[in-house]
Amino acid sequence: MDDFVRQFVDYCQYQVRSAPYWRTGMPIYLVGDELLHVSSPTECTGFAATHTGWIEMRVVVRDAPPAEGDPVGDADDWDAISETTLWSPQGVLSVHSMMGSTAEEFAGLSVPPGLIRLRAHARNLIHESVRTDDDPPEQHQLLVWPVTEDVGPRTRRAAGTRREWEQKRAKAAEYAMLDVIRPYDTHEERDPDDLPRVAVVRRRPAEAVPVLPDRLPVGDLEVHLTPTAEGTLSWRWASTTEELPDQEASTVRLAVVDGELTLRHEGVTGRHAILLGLVWDHLLDDPAGRPAWEPVLRAQAAEKAERAERNRRLRAEHEANSWGGTPPTDRLRALTGQALSFARLDRPLLDRLAELPADRQRQIAVWAARRAMRVAGMEQIGWIAEALAAVEAGERLPAAFTDDHGQAVSRRLYADPAIPHTVIKFPGGPSNFRQQSVAFPALLALADDDPLAAVIDAVYTAATAHGEPAHLAFLAEVPRD
């Protein structure tokens, strides 16, 4: 793009984005200078002298960095020049005002996918309070090219129109590490798997190679920094409970040459490069200090634990209320039949039945089944009487009662003209239930191999078959030992 295009700015700001806008970025004034501030791996904030209004801008995309003396890269007529790195996983770049508007030309620019270096230029930085119609328009240029390493933000030329921002590296490292360990949100677009790994490079004056800790705590995660050679360490994520931000180990190289320390963190996934650069800026300032992100992670862990405990208490209270006021035993909770409904009907009786020996539970289940058949007028029906006699003799129910969950005998119940038809009020429910349909499952409950499940289902079903309020008298008759 050779020609300048008008771009709107709000509050002296515009955003450059190299991925869909789904990340929460750092606030401004943490890392940067008067022209560019780092926001996230895929966004930076540019500053203009114009508070609210139009500036002129152009974006120039190159295949390689500009050579020394390149008029596009470092022309003398630019008042301020700054650089930063962005991660562009899909090879798209856009420019927006702070409120989101963009010129059509800047809505979806094609750039090389991967790490890109952004060099911002600005001139005619005249504050709008003193700008006149005779002044030249404020102009900004963004020069973009692919890179394989992030060397961090850099001021190439300062205009001196704004104060020098204090670099808040600890706060930036806090954001960066939290974002490194943050899993993808469900709506986020995943990065392509075929993009090459990159390097993070930092240089600063130093007399000796710093001694880094062998482990960096990161909440429930850790970074293991293991020496592998002189001046070389392996960086590997570890955790027994959490998903790792990166499964592969990377390499950290440290060297001091002519009083300058060079740190190279190689083999880094591109999504993490800018973030780990911010982490290293903090660690190199104070490698023996407490990692800046730990207080935040501890506070988050405490809040998570408090929230989990609060939810546990609420679930326990809800469960206790559902079970008649007392939490159930694991044995009762595991049952899939009428245990919960029984608890709402008569919780003390349920607990007493659960404490009985298995043979006694089976005896009471058979007793309850006969009482259910009797109250429904089915005790003397031939095929039902034969089934009752069999279980009372210690035999299993006939196959018709057990095969296919008793579907055949259930159909027979409705087809047999000898079966009476009476209506009851279901305890706590409607008053139009057919008594025989309510009672019959008490007999089918005897097919259960679990004596506790059988007695609970049989007694509960027999109680409901008596209808309201007669069920209360029946429950009083149930043996408790």
Side-chain angles (χ1 to χ4, degrees):
M1 181 184 299
D2 296 325
D3 298 328
F4 285 92
V5 175
R6 293 212 314 164
Q7 170 62 45
F8 202 78
V9 294
D10 309 294
Y11 296 92
C12 302
Q13 298 170 47
Y14 60 88
Q15 272 71 47
V16 184
R17 297 173 187 156
S18 55
Y21 188 50
W22 40 253
R23 307 183 75 95
T24 298
M26 292 192 301
I28 56 176
Y29 311 133
L30 294 187
V31 176
D33 56 24
E34 61 181 342
L35 188 55
L36 277 182
H37 281 201
V38 178
S39 299
S40 80
T42 57
E43 184 178 9
C44 64
T45 299
F47 286 88
T50 300
H51 183 278
T52 303
W54 297 96
I55 63 171
E56 292 186 354
M57 178 177 287
R58 69 180 177 188
V59 179
V60 180
V61 181
R62 294 281 185 86
D63 294 330
E68 289 295 328
D70 187 330
V72 175
D74 278 328
D76 292 337
D77 57 350
W78 293 109
D79 300 325
I81 305 176
S82 300
E83 290 182 6
T84 194
T85 309
L86 293 174
W87 171 242
S88 181
Q90 305 295 337
V92 176
L93 189 78
S94 59
V95 182
H96 307 260
S97 71
M98 195 181 77
M99 298 300 180
S101 63
T102 183
E104 182 179 350
E105 292 83 353
F106 302 144
L109 294 164
S110 178
V111 297
L115 277 187
I116 55 175
R117 192 68 173 169
L118 177 75
R119 183 179 295 177
H121 308 71
R123 60 188 169 202
N124 307 325
L125 299 172
I126 304 169
H127 194 273
E128 58 188 18
S129 62
V130 295
R131 173 177 289 279
T132 69
D133 293 341
D134 296 329
D135 291 316
E138 179 176 352
Q139 291 185 325
H140 289 245
Q141 172 184 278
L142 304 179
L143 180 59
V144 180
W145 67 92
V147 293
T148 57
E149 57 187 43
D150 169 39
V151 297
R154 180 174 300 175
T155 302
R156 300 182 65 89
R157 185 179 303 162
T161 57
R162 296 171 178 261
R163 67 179 175 86
E164 187 173 334
W165 306 114
E166 175 190 359
Q167 304 302 294
K168 299 178 181 178
R169 292 196 172 104
K171 195 68 178 174
E174 172 191 308
Y175 159 81
M177 191 61 91
L178 293 179
D179 200 71
V180 166
I181 66 175
R182 177 184 66 84
Y184 277 108
D185 288 336
T186 55
H187 63 280
E188 290 184 28
E189 186 177 59
R190 270 44 175 178
D191 290 350
D193 295 328
D194 58 349
L195 290 176
R197 289 181 171 254
V198 297
V200 176
V201 180
R202 291 296 189 266
R203 294 184 176 88
R204 60 191 60 209
E207 296 180 356
V209 174
V211 178
L212 298 173
D214 59 354
R215 295 191 177 196
L216 287 176
V218 189
D220 293 329
L221 295 154
E222 276 189 336
V223 174
H224 292 184
L225 286 165
T226 307
T228 56
E230 184 177 356
T232 305
L233 304 96
S234 169
W235 169 296
R236 182 180 291 277
W237 288 95
S239 176
T240 58
T241 60
E242 301 297 315
E243 181 179 354
L244 303 182
D246 190 358
Q247 299 287 343
E248 296 186 26
S250 49
T251 301
V252 178
R253 305 184 192 278
L254 295 141
V256 174
V257 179
D258 297 331
E260 182 182 66
L261 167 69
T262 299
L263 177 142
R264 292 186 59 85
H265 189 169
E266 301 169 346
V268 173
T269 181
R271 184 175 186 235
H272 295 159
I274 289 89
L275 298 167
L276 291 178
L278 298 174
V279 169
W280 280 118
D281 284 335
H282 165 60
L283 293 177
L284 292 177
D285 278 349
D286 185 12
R290 186 173 63 180
W293 49 85
E294 275 302 281
V296 177
L297 288 172
R298 282 197 296 271
Q300 289 180 351
E303 181 183 356
K304 180 180 178 181
E306 180 182 354
R307 185 168 57 251
E309 175 59 21
R310 183 170 61 251
N311 290 338
R312 185 200 65 77
R313 289 197 304 268
L314 290 173
R315 287 194 300 270
E317 292 173 5
H318 176 73
E319 182 183 54
N321 292 333
S322 298
W323 284 82
T326 306
T329 63
D330 291 341
R331 180 83 167 90
L332 289 175
R333 188 185 289 113
L335 296 177
T336 58
Q338 301 292 350
L340 179 58
S341 298
F342 199 144
R344 295 168 178 166
L345 204 62
D346 191 334
R347 179 59 192 274
L349 176 58
L350 174 66
D351 291 337
R352 290 293 297 159
L353 293 175
E355 293 171 358
L356 294 176
D359 58 347
R360 185 59 176 148
Q361 291 172 342
R362 181 66 66 180
Q363 292 171 1
I364 297 174
V366 174
W367 172 85
R370 178 168 288 279
R371 288 292 302 270
M373 298 305 101
R374 180 179 304 167
V375 75
M378 299 188 293
E379 186 180 19
Q380 302 303 320
I381 302 297
W383 58 279
I384 294 177
E386 292 174 2
L388 279 172
V391 294
E392 286 176 335
E395 301 174 9
R396 296 183 63 85
L397 281 170
F401 287 79
T402 57
D403 293 348
D404 195 22
H405 305 287
Q407 293 296 314
V409 291
S410 295
R411 289 191 294 270
R412 186 175 181 181
L413 178 72
Y414 292 98
D416 190 340
I419 300 294
H421 190 295
T422 51
V423 175
I424 60 169
K425 183 181 188 308
F426 197 87
S431 58
N432 58 348
F433 270 80
R434 184 183 181 188
Q435 189 176 37
Q436 290 67 36
S437 299
V438 175
F440 192 68
L443 185 57
L444 297 179
L446 302 183
D448 202 312
D449 292 330
D450 182 349
L452 178 59
V455 71
I456 288 174
D457 288 0
V459 172
Y460 172 80
T461 304
T464 57
H466 281 73
E468 190 176 38
H471 72 289
L472 297 176
F474 168 79
L475 290 171
E477 297 178 35
V478 177
R480 283 160 168 77
D481 53 25

